[in-house]
Amino acid sequence: MNFNLRQLAFFLLICCCIPSFVLAEDGSQLWLRFPHIKQGISSNQIFVKGNSATINIAKKELINYWQGQAVELKTDTSLKSLKDGFKITSDPKKITISSSTEIGLLYGVYHILRLQETKADTQNLNITEKPSYDVRILNHWDNLDRTVERGYAGYSLWKWDELPNVISPRYEAYARANASIGINSVVLNNVNASPNILKKDYLEKVKVLADIFRPYGIKVYLSVNFSSPKVLGNLENSDPLNKSVKVWWKDKTSEIYKLIPDFGGFLVKANSEGQPGPQDYGRTHADGANMMADVLKPFGGIVMWRAFVYNPTPEDRAKQAYNEFVPLDGKFRDNVIIQIKNGPVDFQPREAFSPLFGAMKKTSKMVEFQITQEYLGFSNHLVFLAPLFKETLDSDTYAFGKGSSIAKITDGTLKTTQLSAIAAVANIGEDNNWTGHHFAQANWYAFGRLAWNNDLTSDHIADEWLKQTFTTETNFVNPIKNMMLTSRETAVDYMMPLGLHHIFANEHHYGPEPWGDYPGARPDWTPVYYHKADANGLGFDRTMSGSNAVSQYNSPLKEIYNNINTTPENLLLWFHHVPWDYQMKNNKSMWDNLAYKYDKGVKGVRTYQKIWDQVESYVDKERFFAVQSKLKIQAKDAFWWKDACLLYFQGFSKMPIPYDIERPIHELEDLKKIKLNMKHHN
Ligand code: GCV
């Protein structure tokens, strides 16, 4: 900025008179803002050997932003057991970051910058960090036409039409953001994969992205379509046991590795929701996955094979992945990892964890979370997902007795298998702020931080993110952190409390449609299939006398879930068909509890609006108003959910809405007429 003296005086006056003076921001800098820093240390305060691209990035970050002591970056092969982790020690004059890898040094640099920006102590450091998972991967559901399936932040970041010639600066910014939180792998394209991604011209575009990402420690993976040999190679079929199919994959894989020597491998959605797969030829998921694993093996690549399979059979959808995959345990190659959604249905606001995690002891397994808010209000609702991620990771499967949490099963602590990985469906798009809602950035951040260290608490992650993304002022951080930490439960309350699930409007999944029962549609794609409301009660009976999904859990969980009195109340309607007047622990009926939960959810969002308005002076105008507007939408949606669900279910319960809560403000018939024209890209 160039000021003349008068302007400078005016500027200073404004800064002094309004302590909360903050410049406009569009969120494009994510948690890497460094608002008060003009320059960091000089290059002669950095001691490091070598000048690889990764080392140069580390130096640049220090020169731009680090304002503390001198820094020594030391590669140290004795730290191999930390993998890409690092050690940081310090004295008042110097910080030493050591790692056995260069990317570990860069992670260490981001670590001290994070400490600086969160105003943590940087004087007395004695830190050792080792990543919880080897593969910390984002799954983009980006199509080649740049639409993003379940994406709510604009078009895809990948400008396929312009690549490989035109390079968007956002490719590097994206890699940097990921590296700053330890994400080291990326699947570029949708699991509903176009075979075209494997065409030569697309692979050349992929290579350019891989080259940009490499110095940031990020490997590229691709989702592949199982029919590729037939579609691209004109083969008779894509049968995994057909010799020419194997040769096709072998040749294609060599072609990829010639372009991208550190290519990560394939992600596969097979025989699921209409996608082709080995079962089209009477083969198993293991036959399909192993065929690909064999061709990737010589290059060090892996196959992430998804367990998200279900068909419109009379069998409970929640049981199908387990039924399909458990008999295949022990049959997968060691470079295959089964990617399992956190719940057995589909990324619902709350699900019981998938029982597959507690089974398949001879097979590598990884969690797939969904960062993009397909079932959580898109990019309109403020829902901080760390508590959901933690709930899954901390769930005890009892696979090896008490203490067999999903975290320990998947991160190698309970070592039964080779590979450790964790994935999440990205919420990133072309929007200036990357994620649509400013607070949705926190979910990208939270996934990365938990993939790095699954012991971190939601509180810690929210705290870090807020301080870097907004301000370290306690009067801002404390109330807003509290809002974030309660926001997932609030969303569950106003959408689907007590274990209700999948009562969303058809296809686009925004808003309620508990009455949804579409003539001719697959029953497992209708809300009535999931809530089963009738004159007797509400909920899906998955007990031994119902679908018997409880039997897929290890003892004592199967017994706990089988018994209505011991089932956690937040999963009651997931496992039981519960009478409307069933007395819950607070001595109120299930119906009353349902009503109070919906009301609590609405009240929660109304409170968030007040909390947000009270911190206006701490936030730049642009982001303040953007979040304020989104909270208004969220509040209206919460009312909509509450009224739609209570008025509809009341038709069965025939019980009054408790008189001490707000009365409905909608007519059920009007709500039933709402048909949103939302795009759903498959
Ligand atoms: C990529 C859900 C979503 C689909 C998604 C699918 C999956 O069904 O609605 O859009 O497809 O999950 O995870 O494969």
Side-chain angles (χ1 to χ4, degrees):
M1 272 187 270
N2 281 327
F3 290 113
N4 64 33
L5 270 181
R6 262 179 70 184
Q7 283 169 325
L8 185 64
F10 179 69
F11 178 77
L12 290 176
L13 187 76
I14 298 229
C15 295
C16 298
C17 298
I18 312 173
S20 57
F21 179 80
V22 259
L23 292 170
E25 295 201 41
D26 61 4
S28 59
Q29 298 180 80
L30 296 160
W31 47 87
L32 295 165
R33 291 162 53 250
F34 306 100
H36 307 293
I37 294 176
K38 304 238 155 31
Q39 217 192 318
I41 55 178
S42 67
S43 58
N44 58 19
Q45 289 174 286
I46 303 171
F47 306 98
V48 59
K49 286 202 191 101
N51 72 31
S52 68
T54 304
I55 292 294
N56 286 338
I57 294 166
K59 282 205 241 167
K60 195 169 118 194
E61 298 287 14
L62 292 168
I63 290 169
N64 287 340
Y65 305 115
W66 174 248
Q67 300 206 308
Q69 313 91 305
V71 177
E72 178 175 11
L73 302 174
K74 225 165 83 181
T75 32
D76 178 348
T77 47
S78 74
L79 297 178
K80 269 213 164 78
S81 63
L82 296 183
K83 301 188 169 176
D84 285 337
F86 49 80
K87 263 188 186 279
I88 304 179
T89 52
S90 72
D91 61 40
K93 290 206 176 117
K94 193 175 83 180
I95 290 193
T96 305
I97 303 176
S98 344
S99 171
S100 69
T101 66
E102 290 190 339
I103 186 65
L105 297 177
L106 181 59
Y107 290 150
V109 166
Y110 285 121
H111 194 93
I112 59 171
L113 288 171
R114 179 161 51 239
L115 295 177
Q116 170 182 282
E117 292 309 284
T118 54
K119 297 222 162 81
D121 178 22
T122 52
Q123 295 302 310
N124 305 295
L125 301 178
N126 191 358
I127 296 169
T128 304
E129 294 253 338
K130 178 184 172 189
S132 297
Y133 299 90
D134 296 337
V135 179
R136 307 175 290 278
I137 188 163
L138 284 180
N139 291 183
H140 285 264
W141 283 358
D142 296 19
N143 298 312
L144 301 186
D145 64 2
R146 297 195 59 224
T147 56
V148 180
E149 181 153 348
R150 313 303 182 182
Y152 315 105
Y155 283 99
S156 167
L157 278 182
W158 326 129
K159 300 191 173 181
W160 297 111
D161 290 351
E162 298 181 352
L163 283 164
N165 301 321
V166 182
I167 313 281
S168 156
R170 289 198 106 185
Y171 301 152
E172 186 172 350
Y174 165 84
R176 174 175 178 246
N178 279 329
S180 76
I181 48 175
I183 289 173
N184 68 352
S185 303
V186 173
V187 180
L188 293 174
N189 61 319
N190 192 354
V191 285
N192 292 327
S194 161
N196 290 340
I197 191 70
L198 291 179
K199 279 187 171 166
K200 187 167 177 285
D201 52 340
Y202 271 100
L203 292 178
E204 276 161 4
K205 299 168 197 275
V206 172
K207 173 196 161 41
V208 171
L209 294 175
D211 289 344
I212 297 169
F213 297 168
R214 189 170 299 110
Y216 290 91
I218 294 169
K219 276 191 188 180
V220 162
Y221 294 66
L222 293 176
S223 294
V224 293
N225 183 301
F226 202 79
S227 283
S228 300
K230 189 172 167 202
V231 180
L232 293 185
N234 291 320
L235 299 190
E236 197 189 333
N237 57 43
S238 297
D239 181 350
L241 300 195
N242 173 348
K243 223 169 161 208
S244 40
V245 168
K246 287 189 206 170
V247 171
W248 188 89
W249 281 108
K250 191 165 180 257
D251 293 346
K252 188 47 81 179
T253 303
S254 317
E255 184 188 338
I256 298 174
Y257 277 93
K258 265 193 206 104
L259 290 167
I260 309 164
D262 57 351
F263 179 71
F266 298 142
L267 171 64
V268 192
K269 172 175 178 177
N271 294 119
S272 162
E273 297 186 331
Q275 292 299 314
Q279 293 177 335
D280 302 351
Y281 308 99
R283 315 297 181 197
T284 67
H285 285 283
D287 294 329
N290 291 343
M291 181 268 296
M292 290 186 177
D294 288 343
V295 300
L296 286 161
K297 181 84 178 174
F299 303 99
I302 65 168
V303 177
M304 293 168 292
W305 192 270
R306 295 177 89 227
F308 179 65
V309 295
Y310 65 103
N311 284 307
T313 65
E315 182 61 290
D316 176 2
R317 172 173 169 183
K319 289 176 68 182
Q320 294 188 31
Y322 181 102
N323 290 347
E324 190 85 65
F325 277 85
V326 169
L328 300 175
D329 190 22
K331 300 210 168 116
F332 291 96
R333 301 281 191 268
D334 62 4
N335 59 333
V336 174
I337 185 161
I338 304 301
Q339 180 164 311
I340 307 167
K341 289 189 181 182
N342 57 285
V345 171
D346 192 9
F347 298 137
Q348 297 302 294
R350 170 165 283 116
E351 293 191 39
F353 69 82
S354 167
L356 264 178
F357 291 112
M360 296 192 84
K361 295 184 188 165
K362 288 177 258 165
T363 306
S364 298
K365 300 176 287 282
M366 64 192 282
V367 185
E368 176 179 346
F369 287 121
Q370 192 180 44
I371 308 176
T372 193
Q373 291 170 231
E374 171 180 358
Y375 296 103
L376 282 160
F378 294 7
S379 51
N380 284 337
H381 293 199
L382 189 160
V383 185
F384 180 51
L385 294 176
L388 186 161
F389 301 158
K390 289 292 287 185
E391 186 172 294
T392 301
L393 293 170
D394 293 345
S395 293
D396 198 342
T397 66
Y398 292 88
F400 304 94
K402 199 170 164 43
S404 310
S405 69
I406 291 179
K408 287 188 182 149
I409 282 186
T410 54
D411 72 5
T413 309
L414 295 170
K415 205 157 189 70
T416 52
T417 47
Q418 306 277 329
L419 293 168
S420 85
I422 187 164
V425 182
N427 61 348
I428 301 159
E430 206 185 21
D431 280 4
N432 272 351
N433 72 6
W434 302 83
T435 56
H437 196 305
H438 288 287
F439 275 77
Q441 296 177 355
N443 294 330
W444 175 7
Y445 185 87
F447 169 71
R449 296 291 286 133
L450 282 173
W452 179 266
N453 179 356
N454 58 17
D455 269 344
L456 291 177
T457 62
S458 302
D459 186 301
H460 182 97
I461 296 168
D463 195 83
E464 274 185 8
W465 179 78
L466 280 170
K467 287 176 174 165
Q468 295 168 91
T469 309
F470 289 98
T471 165
T472 53
E473 295 278 354
T474 333
N475 289 342
F476 173 84
V477 174
N478 286 350
I480 302 304
K481 185 164 69 178
N482 192 35
M483 168 171 96
M484 287 173 76
L485 291 175
T486 54
S487 62
R488 186 279 186 125
E489 205 57 43
T490 296
V492 169
D493 285 345
Y494 65 71
M495 287 184 175
M496 277 164 263
L498 303 184
L500 280 175
H501 50 288
H502 225 313
I503 56 175
F504 293 94
N506 197 21
E507 290 199 334
H508 54 68
H509 301 157
Y510 191 91
E513 209 168 272
W515 48 87
D517 185 8
Y518 326 108
R522 285 174 60 154
D524 55 347
W525 284 352
T526 62
V528 295
Y529 171 93
Y530 295 98
H531 65 63
K532 306 222 183 298
D534 59 18
N536 299 325
L538 179 66
F540 200 126
D541 183 358
R542 295 194 163 104
T543 65
M544 288 170 192
S545 44
S547 81
N548 199 19
V550 293
S551 67
Q552 296 183 337
Y553 292 89
N554 298 311
S555 286
L557 290 177
K558 65 173 80 168
E559 293 79 16
I560 291 174
Y561 293 151
N562 192 50
N563 180 344
I564 191 169
N565 295 315
T566 52
T567 301
E569 290 193 336
N570 62 11
L571 289 173
L572 197 62
L573 306 176
W574 181 278
F575 285 114
H576 299 272
H577 190 68
V578 182
W580 296 106
D581 60 359
Y582 170 77
Q583 218 183 57
M584 292 184 50
K585 299 211 171 81
N586 60 5
N587 294 325
K588 293 194 168 71
S589 67
M590 181 272 281
W591 166 254
D592 277 3
N593 272 283
L594 193 70
Y596 285 122
K597 285 282 186 196
Y598 276 108
D599 192 54
K600 188 163 174 246
V602 172
K603 285 195 176 119
V605 185
R606 301 292 281 157
T607 307
Y608 298 162
Q609 291 183 282
K610 291 181 201 153
I611 294 174
W612 185 249
D613 282 358
Q614 281 171 37
V615 298
E616 177 167 3
S617 59
Y618 296 98
V619 186
D620 53 282
K621 292 231 166 321
E622 194 170 342
R623 289 188 298 171
F624 176 76
F625 288 122
V627 173
Q628 189 186 49
S629 303
K630 296 261 181 183
L631 282 170
K632 286 179 190 160
I633 301 175
Q634 189 172 356
K636 282 185 229 161
D637 287 353
F639 267 116
W640 173 27
W641 271 99
K642 174 188 162 201
D643 286 1
C645 296
L646 288 183
L647 291 172
Y648 171 75
F649 290 134
Q650 192 177 32
F652 298 94
S653 79
K654 311 278 184 217
M655 293 162 83
I657 292 173
Y659 296 108
D660 53 346
I661 67 175
E662 299 275 4
R663 317 319 293 161
I665 54 173
H666 301 96
E667 298 293 343
L668 181 59
E669 289 316 307
D670 293 337
L671 295 178
K672 283 189 179 176
K673 283 187 210 136
I674 296 176
K675 289 273 169 281
L676 299 179
N677 187 18
M678 302 255 187
K679 275 195 219 116
H680 165 53
H681 305 289
N682 249 327

Short mmCIF file of all heavy atoms in Angstrom, two decimals, residues 282-303:
data_model
loop_
_atom_site.label_atom_id
_atom_site.label_comp_id
_atom_site.label_asym_id
_atom_site.label_seq_id
_atom_site.Cartn_x
_atom_site.Cartn_y
_atom_site.Cartn_z
N GLY A 282 -19.19 -63.43 -12.81
CA GLY A 282 -19.25 -64.54 -11.85
C GLY A 282 -18.01 -64.62 -10.96
O GLY A 282 -17.75 -65.65 -10.35
N ARG A 283 -17.19 -63.56 -10.93
CA ARG A 283 -15.99 -63.58 -10.09
C ARG A 283 -16.26 -62.81 -8.80
O ARG A 283 -17.25 -62.08 -8.70
CB ARG A 283 -14.80 -62.92 -10.79
CG ARG A 283 -14.60 -63.33 -12.23
CD ARG A 283 -14.31 -64.80 -12.38
NE ARG A 283 -14.09 -65.14 -13.79
CZ ARG A 283 -14.13 -66.36 -14.28
NH1 ARG A 283 -14.40 -67.39 -13.49
NH2 ARG A 283 -13.92 -66.58 -15.56
N THR A 284 -15.34 -62.92 -7.85
CA THR A 284 -15.55 -62.25 -6.56
C THR A 284 -14.81 -60.91 -6.53
O THR A 284 -13.95 -60.63 -7.37
CB THR A 284 -14.99 -63.10 -5.41
OG1 THR A 284 -13.57 -63.14 -5.55
CG2 THR A 284 -15.57 -64.50 -5.41
N HIS A 285 -15.11 -60.15 -5.47
CA HIS A 285 -14.37 -58.91 -5.26
C HIS A 285 -12.88 -59.21 -5.11
O HIS A 285 -12.03 -58.43 -5.56
CB HIS A 285 -14.89 -58.19 -4.00
CG HIS A 285 -16.21 -57.52 -4.24
ND1 HIS A 285 -16.33 -56.33 -4.92
CD2 HIS A 285 -17.48 -57.87 -3.91
CE1 HIS A 285 -17.60 -55.97 -4.98
NE2 HIS A 285 -18.32 -56.89 -4.37
N ALA A 286 -12.55 -60.33 -4.50
CA ALA A 286 -11.12 -60.67 -4.31
C ALA A 286 -10.47 -60.93 -5.67
O ALA A 286 -9.35 -60.48 -5.92
CB ALA A 286 -10.99 -61.89 -3.40
N ASP A 287 -11.17 -61.61 -6.56
CA ASP A 287 -10.60 -61.87 -7.90
C ASP A 287 -10.29 -60.54 -8.59
O ASP A 287 -9.23 -60.38 -9.19
CB ASP A 287 -11.60 -62.64 -8.78
CG ASP A 287 -11.87 -64.04 -8.27
OD1 ASP A 287 -10.96 -64.63 -7.67
OD2 ASP A 287 -13.01 -64.53 -8.48
N GLY A 288 -11.22 -59.61 -8.48
CA GLY A 288 -11.04 -58.32 -9.15
C GLY A 288 -9.90 -57.52 -8.53
O GLY A 288 -9.01 -57.02 -9.23
N ALA A 289 -9.92 -57.43 -7.21
CA ALA A 289 -8.91 -56.63 -6.51
C ALA A 289 -7.52 -57.22 -6.70
O ALA A 289 -6.55 -56.50 -6.94
CB ALA A 289 -9.26 -56.55 -5.02
N ASN A 290 -7.41 -58.56 -6.63
CA ASN A 290 -6.09 -59.20 -6.73
C ASN A 290 -5.48 -59.04 -8.11
O ASN A 290 -4.26 -58.88 -8.25
CB ASN A 290 -6.20 -60.68 -6.37
CG ASN A 290 -6.49 -60.87 -4.89
OD1 ASN A 290 -6.31 -59.94 -4.09
ND2 ASN A 290 -6.97 -62.05 -4.52
N MET A 291 -6.34 -59.11 -9.12
CA MET A 291 -5.82 -58.94 -10.48
C MET A 291 -5.13 -57.57 -10.59
O MET A 291 -4.02 -57.45 -11.12
CB MET A 291 -6.99 -59.06 -11.46
CG MET A 291 -6.63 -58.94 -12.92
SD MET A 291 -6.75 -57.25 -13.49
CE MET A 291 -8.50 -56.96 -13.30
N MET A 292 -5.78 -56.54 -10.05
CA MET A 292 -5.17 -55.21 -10.12
C MET A 292 -3.95 -55.11 -9.20
O MET A 292 -2.95 -54.49 -9.55
CB MET A 292 -6.19 -54.15 -9.72
CG MET A 292 -7.28 -54.00 -10.76
SD MET A 292 -8.33 -52.62 -10.30
CE MET A 292 -9.43 -52.62 -11.70
N ALA A 293 -4.06 -55.74 -8.03
CA ALA A 293 -2.95 -55.69 -7.07
C ALA A 293 -1.70 -56.30 -7.69
O ALA A 293 -0.59 -55.78 -7.52
CB ALA A 293 -3.33 -56.44 -5.80
N ASP A 294 -1.86 -57.38 -8.44
CA ASP A 294 -0.71 -58.06 -9.05
C ASP A 294 0.02 -57.16 -10.04
O ASP A 294 1.24 -57.17 -10.10
CB ASP A 294 -1.16 -59.35 -9.74
CG ASP A 294 -1.54 -60.41 -8.72
OD1 ASP A 294 -1.16 -60.26 -7.53
OD2 ASP A 294 -2.24 -61.38 -9.09
N VAL A 295 -0.74 -56.39 -10.81
CA VAL A 295 -0.03 -55.55 -11.79
C VAL A 295 0.59 -54.32 -11.13
O VAL A 295 1.58 -53.78 -11.62
CB VAL A 295 -0.94 -55.13 -12.98
CG1 VAL A 295 -1.44 -56.37 -13.72
CG2 VAL A 295 -2.10 -54.25 -12.56
N LEU A 296 0.05 -53.90 -10.00
CA LEU A 296 0.60 -52.72 -9.31
C LEU A 296 1.81 -53.07 -8.45
O LEU A 296 2.68 -52.24 -8.19
CB LEU A 296 -0.48 -52.07 -8.44
CG LEU A 296 -1.56 -51.29 -9.18
CD1 LEU A 296 -2.79 -51.11 -8.30
CD2 LEU A 296 -1.04 -49.91 -9.63
N LYS A 297 1.82 -54.32 -7.98
CA LYS A 297 2.82 -54.75 -7.00
C LYS A 297 4.27 -54.40 -7.38
O LYS A 297 5.01 -53.84 -6.56
CB LYS A 297 2.66 -56.26 -6.76
CG LYS A 297 3.61 -56.83 -5.75
CD LYS A 297 3.08 -56.65 -4.36
CE LYS A 297 4.01 -57.27 -3.35
NZ LYS A 297 3.62 -57.01 -1.99
N PRO A 298 4.70 -54.75 -8.61
CA PRO A 298 6.12 -54.48 -8.93
C PRO A 298 6.49 -53.01 -8.81
O PRO A 298 7.66 -52.68 -8.62
CB PRO A 298 6.24 -54.93 -10.39
CG PRO A 298 5.03 -55.72 -10.70
CD PRO A 298 3.98 -55.37 -9.71
N PHE A 299 5.50 -52.13 -8.89
CA PHE A 299 5.78 -50.69 -8.81
C PHE A 299 5.55 -50.12 -7.41
O PHE A 299 5.69 -48.92 -7.18
CB PHE A 299 4.89 -49.92 -9.79
CG PHE A 299 5.03 -50.37 -11.21
CD1 PHE A 299 4.10 -51.24 -11.78
CD2 PHE A 299 6.09 -49.95 -11.99
CE1 PHE A 299 4.22 -51.66 -13.09
CE2 PHE A 299 6.24 -50.36 -13.31
CZ PHE A 299 5.30 -51.23 -13.85
N GLY A 300 5.11 -50.98 -6.50
CA GLY A 300 4.82 -50.49 -5.14
C GLY A 300 3.45 -49.85 -5.00
O GLY A 300 3.17 -49.18 -4.01
N GLY A 301 2.59 -50.07 -5.98
CA GLY A 301 1.24 -49.47 -5.91
C GLY A 301 0.26 -50.32 -5.11
O GLY A 301 0.50 -51.49 -4.85
N ILE A 302 -0.83 -49.70 -4.71
CA ILE A 302 -1.84 -50.42 -3.92
C ILE A 302 -3.22 -50.29 -4.56
O ILE A 302 -3.46 -49.41 -5.39
CB ILE A 302 -1.90 -49.92 -2.45
CG1 ILE A 302 -2.38 -48.45 -2.38
CG2 ILE A 302 -0.56 -50.07 -1.76
CD1 ILE A 302 -2.75 -48.00 -0.98
N VAL A 303 -4.11 -51.17 -4.12
CA VAL A 303 -5.52 -51.11 -4.54
C VAL A 303 -6.36 -50.80 -3.31
O VAL A 303 -6.27 -51.50 -2.30
CB VAL A 303 -5.99 -52.46 -5.11
CG1 VAL A 303 -7.47 -52.40 -5.47
CG2 VAL A 303 -5.18 -52.84 -6.33
#
